């Protein structure tokens, strides 16, 4: 699978209250002082023009965070992402937006191995918002709310899935990602995924919170909430170690 390289990767746990969480991504996408970065915004359209409405929200929040030119890359439900539209010539940054995480994973299924190399070669930073943050992982937690039929988080957070599901992601970061951690109660789902699927590391991100992952493997937290790191405790008993990091703190991802 892909190893993180090139520009930093930016993971936002959802939320609309603080546009400032997008500022580091926009700075990374700015090629030269005074230039206006073109940000490709991938939105999976869930029907009846929802994609256009959702893009308008991201357009507004990105422009509130800094000078930029968001460009919609709308993918119909069941469709596939156009890689050149997402990371081709003229694109300075790629934002993969929020919605049903399984639908986003499916939309990128044909380019999971290709896209990270294109981003690195062209120096295009990646930002993921909610579903887009989950997809950035090598092993992507795409939803579910039960483990072996037992509830581990609220049913409403299941992303239209019953059992917890982990599927192939982009591999831009070496840890699994869950989102809306404090607001939706998804940290237990990530803990369950780490233990069941023997994942080496997982990070659950609160809303209005950014985890910036540099190419050297160090992650830095900013914003209003926290990032919750989950690692196996060792000993083979299924235990985990959970540590939470707030704004200004950092941790190693490996």
């Amino acid at each position: 699978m892909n190893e993180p390289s090139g520009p930093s990767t930016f993971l936002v746990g959802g939320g609309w209250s603080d546009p400032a969480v997008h500022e580091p991504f926009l700075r990374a996408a700015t090629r030269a002082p005074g230039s206006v970065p073109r940000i490709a915004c991938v939105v999976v359209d869930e029907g009846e023009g929802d994609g256009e409405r959702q893009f308008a929200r991201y357009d507004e929040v990105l422009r509130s965070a800094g000078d930029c030119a968001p460009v919609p890359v709308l993918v119909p439900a069941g469709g596939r992402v156009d890689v050149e539209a997402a990371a081709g010539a003229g694109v300075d940054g790629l934002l993969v937006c929020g919605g049903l995480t399984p639908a986003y994973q499916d939309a990128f299924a044909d380019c999971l191995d290709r896209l990270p190399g294109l981003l690195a070669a062209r120096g295009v930073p990646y930002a993921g918002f909610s579903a887009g943050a989950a997809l950035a992982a090598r092993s992507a937690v795409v939803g579910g709310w039960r483990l072996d039929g037992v509830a581990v988080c609220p049913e409403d957070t299941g992303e239209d899935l019953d059992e917890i599901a982990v599927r192939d992601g982009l591999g831009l970061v070496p840890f699994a990602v869950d989102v809306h951690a404090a607001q939706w109660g998804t940290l237990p789902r990530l803990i369950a995924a780490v233990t069941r699927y023997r994942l080496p590391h997982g990070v659950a991100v609160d809303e209005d919170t950014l985890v910036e992952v540099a190419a050297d493997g160090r992650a830095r937290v900013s914003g209003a909430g926290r990032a919750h790191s989950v690692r196996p405790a060792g000993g083979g008993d299924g235990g985990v170690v959970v540590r939470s990091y707030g704004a200004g703190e950092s941790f190693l991802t490996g």
Side-chain angles (χ1 to χ4, degrees):
M1 295 297 291
N2 306 298
E3 295 296 332
S5 60
S8 292
T9 299
F10 302 84
L11 309 174
V12 179
W16 298 95
S17 299
D18 186 8
V21 295
H22 298 280
E23 289 178 2
F25 165 61
L26 294 180
R27 288 197 299 270
T30 302
R31 300 283 183 172
S35 65
V36 178
R38 286 173 53 87
I39 307 300
C41 300
V42 175
V43 180
V44 174
D45 192 324
E46 297 177 10
E48 299 182 357
D50 178 71
E52 293 181 0
R53 290 192 294 270
Q54 291 303 319
F55 168 72
R57 299 184 75 188
Y58 293 99
D59 180 83
E60 180 180 359
V61 76
L62 286 172
R63 292 179 188 275
S64 297
D67 198 9
C68 63
V71 179
V73 180
L74 304 183
V75 183
R80 295 292 188 267
V81 172
D82 181 337
V83 175
E84 287 301 317
V91 173
D92 301 306
L94 170 60
L95 171 65
V96 177
C97 302
L100 280 175
T101 306
Y104 276 83
Q105 194 273 342
D106 186 58
F108 279 88
D110 293 343
C111 61
L112 292 173
D113 291 328
R114 183 184 175 199
L115 182 61
L118 288 177
L119 295 174
R122 295 171 177 174
V124 175
Y126 176 100
F129 180 96
S130 187
L135 185 65
R138 177 180 296 115
S139 298
V141 180
V142 298
W145 63 284
R146 295 199 282 199
L147 183 66
D148 296 332
V150 178
V152 297
C153 60
E155 182 177 1
D156 288 347
T157 71
E159 305 267 14
D160 288 350
L161 299 176
D162 188 73
E163 288 284 315
I164 295 172
V166 175
R167 300 174 184 170
D168 289 341
L170 289 166
L172 294 167
V173 297
F175 50 82
V177 179
D178 215 326
V179 291
H180 308 283
Q183 292 75 21
W184 290 9
T186 54
L187 177 56
R189 176 170 65 194
L190 182 63
I191 292 172
V194 167
T195 57
R196 167 54 58 89
Y197 291 94
R198 300 181 183 275
L199 304 178
H201 190 194
V203 177
V205 188
D206 292 347
E207 292 184 1
D208 296 312
T209 304
L210 168 68
V211 176
E212 178 181 348
V213 184
D216 64 4
R218 182 167 291 277
R220 181 177 176 82
V221 180
S222 60
R226 303 181 71 81
H228 314 273
S229 170
V230 180
R231 297 181 187 269
D237 61 357
V240 297
V241 175
V242 179
R243 182 173 177 183
S244 294
Y245 299 87
E249 295 185 297
S250 62
F251 58 93
L252 290 175
T253 61

